[in-house]
Amino acid sequence: SIVEQVVKGELVIEKGGRLSEITMLYSDIRGFTSMSDGRPPEEVVQTLNEYFEVMVDVLFRYHGTLDKFVGDEIIGLFGAPIALDDAPFKAVACALAMLQNLEEFNRTRAAENQAPIRIGIGVNTGKVITGAIGSTRALQYTAIGDAMNVASRLVTLAKPGEVIISEDTYRLVADRIEAVALPPVQVKGKAAEMRVFRVAGLRYRREADWSGPTNG
């Protein structure tokens, strides 16, 4: 939908970017290097492509934007380049849906005698610079800023099957999720330790609380 808006001239991706508050999701496969060791490159690529197909479909259903793939890592943005209502909650709900869909994906892999894929996910909310960044020959839409670095740190803390969110995200979704506070962590570039939370699930108080994904 974003590409269609750019082509129609309804959305302009400015070079140099703009400051905006968004929520970012980092998802990373645990033990992928060891899982790939000794396997033919073609098989590794096929596994990644099949995995990405499932995960990106979930990301799009929750109105996230695919920033980029970094190896086996997925970086998704919620609220850029198009503003998104309730972006933090949609990002957390997307993360949980990724884990749920991965279980189905792993059941298929098990039926084919293949090892399961396990992932950890980190979610953070904060102000970043978003826009087309690069050279005149190659521009890429992305987000840059300290909040992205925090999200990257969170995903490294997540164990297989875990969604770890920052306090900045938690305070915006606390009334609609079940979460457990974890010991504060030190983040590079931050003087004070940061509070983080492990998401256990969603909490539905009433139907109006949930504006779920669409297939459109």
Side-chain angles (χ1 to χ4, degrees), residues 120-140:
I121 301 176
V123 178
N124 183 41
T125 302
K127 291 186 177 180
V128 296
I129 298 294
T130 59
I133 299 171
S135 70
T136 55
R137 293 178 179 270
L139 287 173
Q140 178 180 5

Side-chain angles (χ1 to χ4, degrees), residues 66-89:
L66 176 64
D67 181 4
K68 63 173 72 73
F69 300 120
V70 181
D72 59 285
E73 185 176 66
I74 299 172
I75 303 176
L77 309 178
F78 292 78
I82 301 174
L84 180 64
D85 290 337
D86 213 9
F89 182 71

Side-chain angles (χ1 to χ4, degrees), residues 23-126:
T23 298
M24 54 235 70
L25 179 155
Y26 279 61
S27 172
D28 188 59
I29 296 178
R30 294 293 172 256
F32 185 74
T33 301
S34 59
M35 188 175 74
S36 303
D37 189 35
R39 296 172 58 191
E42 297 84 358
E43 185 178 329
V44 174
V45 170
Q46 180 179 349
T47 296
L48 275 179
N49 285 340
E50 292 173 350
Y51 161 75
F52 285 147
E53 189 75 25
V54 174
M55 295 295 101
V56 172
D57 179 64
V58 176
L59 179 69
F60 288 171
R61 282 195 278 120
Y62 283 81
H63 309 288
T65 298
L66 176 64
D67 181 4
K68 63 173 72 73
F69 300 120
V70 181
D72 59 285
E73 185 176 66
I74 299 172
I75 303 176
L77 309 178
F78 292 78
I82 301 174
L84 180 64
D85 290 337
D86 213 9
F89 182 71
K90 287 186 173 70
V92 174
C94 176
L96 293 172
M98 283 180 163
L99 294 179
Q100 184 177 10
N101 279 258
L102 183 62
E103 289 305 310
E104 178 63 31
F105 180 68
N106 281 331
R107 281 193 285 271
T108 301
R109 288 179 59 81
E112 299 170 352
N113 294 318
Q114 295 179 321
I117 291 177
R118 302 299 181 193
I119 64 174
I121 301 176
V123 178
N124 183 41
T125 302

